[in-house]
Amino acid sequence: MKHLFLVRHAKSSWADETLCDRERPLNARGESQLVPLGRALEASGALQGEIFSSDATRAIATLEGAAPEMAARERCQHLAELYTFDYRRLLAWLEHRDADSGITLVGHNPALLELAQWLLKHPPEQLPTASFIHIRLPIKHWHQLDRGKGKLVALMTPQDYSYAHFERKLKKKARTEGDDPARDIPKALHHQHDRLRQLERGVILGLDDEFLHQYRIAIRRSRAIAESVQEVTGDKTLAKAVKTLKRHARATGPLRDLHVFLQDLPELCGDNSEIRAALQIWFEQETANRHKKLVKRLQSKRYHDSMEHWLNLIESRKFQKLAETLRAKDIRKAVESRIKGFNRLTAELMHTSPDEDIHRLRKQLKRIRYLMELDSKIWKPELKTMKARQKLYGRFQDLHVQIELLDQFRKAAPEVLPAALDGILETLEECKADARKQILTLGGLDGAPL
């Protein structure tokens, strides 16, 4: 069995017309594609076999930027014969290889895409820059290559493995302005549904944590809007759908908490490389287990059926009629009611209150914010304040979760540097106490704008 990875170079520049094609460098977007491309190549196994690239500047820069450690090794070669746009030349070159199992080839279109189309029965139609195709070949020797005998294992583009490049391709966010809820609210929910389905692939691949973060935002925003419509209209038919969305959002929480913890780990551990390594290994395994569990959920029939049911609901005439009953004054009244409830809970908050009380306030803040966004024009200054508050409450919650995670680790591995672990926990407790103090100082929210 052989594995072939066909990697198209990252986005190149045409700015300098005096350069010949072979010498063209990468442009700014191409440079930004390299690190996430490297993560994707490593995760797919493309860096385990022999690695070759065209000797064109853009191909060499792609390999060196995506896999700098590999590019410095002898098994990475830059060959003039791979600078070609004719797939037949690549095919002839491959047939003379004697690599044990896998070859990764960084080159150019149309040669790469046409080679894939020759090897596969059901080939992809496109291979954008900084994308790669993984082909499995049922052969013992490279000279046995034959038309249509390969199996497509994966096609990955920058939109699959990098949230930044995924976001660049998306349409602008649908916003509710409050002028016409009957139009704005169904439109916003439809937009969030589409966004959820688009983000699922990135969440499943797990190569960029931001996909999960944005997925959580989209599903919680959908839930909050539906919950707000239910609250303002008094209709009970949305209750089941809201409950399902809440369940999906909860399923992502543990994995997101682990992502945040691992991002903060270098700062938490400081110069103590030993405790950092121990924590990194343990929590990366926890993250992998949680990710596997979430992937199974997202690929289940039950999940897909629930999302299909949600789409049918927000596209239904019944939901349209509900939206038509909404008025700006109804939204303002609901916001005022929630602000009063938030202020009441805030007034009861003390330095000795359990963390769950602040967590409850954080969730109330989100609901108020999403309700405000149903009429975002009138609440524009308040929304800015709400986002700042959410950040502080969110930081408190992150600290609470990190302390819980470290307690779990200490119980699982009590022999691992207890003194260093105590020091980290003490620092986290101090940071959490400071965040609590800031929250208490803020007090309640102002009422509705005039």
Side-chain angles (χ1 to χ4, degrees):
M1 188 69 67
K2 303 292 186 185
H3 292 267
L4 176 63
F5 295 87
L6 302 176
V7 186
R8 187 179 176 192
H9 63 79
K11 192 74 173 177
S12 58
S13 172
W14 294 84
D16 189 345
E17 296 181 358
T18 65
L19 295 176
C20 68
D21 181 76
R22 209 179 200 117
E23 296 174 345
R24 287 193 297 107
L26 301 181
N27 65 12
R29 197 203 310 174
E31 293 285 349
S32 72
Q33 293 170 331
L34 298 180
V35 172
L37 172 61
R39 288 197 298 264
L41 289 172
E42 182 175 8
S44 67
L47 305 181
Q48 295 175 6
E50 294 192 27
I51 305 172
F52 302 88
S53 82
S54 150
D55 68 347
T57 299
R58 57 191 183 277
I60 295 174
T62 297
L63 179 55
E64 292 180 343
E69 294 183 4
M70 295 297 173
R73 298 182 182 180
E74 292 183 359
R75 62 188 177 92
C76 295
Q77 302 179 49
H78 313 306
L79 305 177
E81 56 262 46
L82 298 182
Y83 175 71
T84 180
F85 308 102
D86 185 344
Y87 83 93
R88 290 167 295 189
R89 293 182 62 183
L90 293 183
L91 182 59
W93 177 84
L94 276 171
E95 288 174 339
H96 289 86
R97 297 303 97 201
D98 57 3
D100 288 337
S101 59
I103 287 178
T104 295
L105 196 163
V106 183
H108 311 267
N109 265 359
L112 292 178
L113 180 58
E114 290 178 355
L115 176 59
Q117 290 171 341
W118 190 86
L119 290 169
L120 298 167
K121 287 183 179 179
H122 305 289
E125 296 181 359
Q126 295 182 327
L127 182 63
T129 53
S131 301
F132 65 92
I133 300 171
H134 178 189
I135 300 172
R136 185 166 64 239
L137 299 155
I139 56 175
K140 289 185 177 181
H141 305 285
W142 289 100
H143 65 76
Q144 296 172 321
L145 288 170
D146 199 1
R147 180 190 291 271
K149 297 299 183 181
K151 179 178 178 57
L152 179 64
V153 178
L155 165 64
M156 282 201 205
T157 70
Q159 292 127 270
D160 296 322
Y161 58 71
S162 166
Y163 177 77
H165 292 282
F166 167 87
E167 182 70 11
R168 191 181 65 83
K169 288 286 188 179
L170 286 185
K171 296 178 181 178
K172 290 185 178 180
K173 180 180 176 182
R175 291 188 177 274
T176 56
E177 300 294 344
D179 296 333
D180 186 358
R183 177 200 65 208
D184 292 343
I185 291 173
K187 180 181 178 182
L189 284 173
H190 205 288
H191 171 80
Q192 293 301 329
H193 172 272
D194 290 347
R195 185 168 172 79
L196 282 168
R197 304 320 301 263
Q198 292 164 342
L199 286 161
E200 284 168 4
R201 175 165 166 78
V203 174
I204 289 170
L205 288 173
L207 297 170
D208 187 338
D209 296 350
E210 191 63 19
F211 280 106
L212 178 66
H213 178 53
Q214 294 299 326
Y215 177 90
R216 279 169 56 78
I217 290 174
I219 205 160
R220 288 185 296 179
R221 189 181 297 275
S222 299
R223 173 202 165 191
I225 293 174
E227 199 172 50
S228 299
V229 172
Q230 181 185 349
E231 178 178 330
V232 174
T233 62
D235 187 272
K236 303 297 183 183
T237 59
L238 287 171
K240 185 177 180 180
V242 167
K243 187 176 180 180
T244 300
L245 291 172
K246 182 179 180 180
R247 189 171 65 247
H248 291 329
R250 279 183 173 175
T252 65
L255 181 56
R256 179 59 184 168
D257 289 340
L258 287 164
H259 286 170
V260 174
F261 180 83
L262 286 170
Q263 289 167 10
D264 290 349
L265 194 58
E267 184 178 349
L268 290 175
C269 297
D271 297 330
N272 194 327
S273 58
E274 190 173 355
I275 188 68
R276 178 179 173 180
L279 291 171
Q280 187 96 22
I281 292 170
W282 198 80
F283 282 105
E284 282 182 351
Q285 184 58 53
E286 287 292 297
T287 300
N289 293 337
R290 283 288 182 180
H291 180 252
K292 186 182 295 185
K293 187 175 180 180
L294 181 59
V295 168
K296 184 177 180 181
R297 180 188 185 91
L298 293 180
Q299 291 178 334
S300 70
K301 184 178 184 300
R302 183 182 181 187
Y303 171 79
H304 286 281
D305 287 347
S306 72
M307 295 305 291
E308 186 68 24
H309 180 268
W310 172 239
L311 178 61
N312 291 337
L313 175 61
I314 61 180
E315 289 183 339
S316 68
R317 180 57 187 158
K318 184 175 184 179
F319 183 79
Q320 185 70 45
K321 287 182 178 180
L322 280 180
E324 287 171 356
T325 66
L326 288 173
R327 298 292 181 269
K329 64 179 182 179
D330 299 322
I331 296 170
R332 286 196 293 274
K333 185 177 178 180
V335 171
E336 289 170 12
S337 175
R338 284 194 178 180
I339 288 177
K340 287 179 182 178
F342 177 86
N343 289 345
R344 184 179 65 255
L345 291 173
T346 299
E348 297 170 358
L349 193 65
M350 301 172 63
H351 287 283
T352 55
S353 297
D355 291 357
E356 180 58 32
D357 287 357
I358 295 179
H359 180 47
R360 188 180 299 112
L361 284 168
R362 183 177 73 92
K363 291 189 286 187
Q364 289 295 328
L365 271 178
K366 288 181 181 179
R367 291 189 176 97
I368 294 170
R369 175 187 162 190
Y370 292 142
L371 193 55
M372 285 178 174
E373 288 178 344
L374 296 181
D375 193 358
S376 58
K377 281 183 178 178
I378 194 171
W379 296 102
K380 190 172 182 179
E382 287 76 14
L383 281 168
K384 186 176 181 180
T385 301
M386 293 291 290
K387 290 178 182 179
R389 281 215 181 208
Q390 274 188 251
K391 186 175 181 180
L392 176 58
Y393 282 66
R395 180 58 181 159
F396 179 90
Q397 179 63 14
D398 287 342
L399 290 164
H400 169 86
V401 169
Q402 288 173 359
I403 290 168
E404 285 191 333
L405 289 173
L406 284 173
D407 281 337
Q408 292 172 19
F409 173 80
R410 182 160 55 183
K411 291 175 182 177
E415 74 284 354
V416 178
L417 300 173
L421 203 56
D422 288 342
I424 295 173
L425 283 165
E426 184 178 342
T427 300
L428 288 174
E429 289 286 4
E430 289 174 357
C431 291
K432 191 177 77 169
D434 182 62
R436 178 190 288 268
K437 184 178 179 180
Q438 292 181 55
I439 289 169
L440 286 166
T441 302
L442 286 173
L445 295 168
D446 294 332
L450 298 176

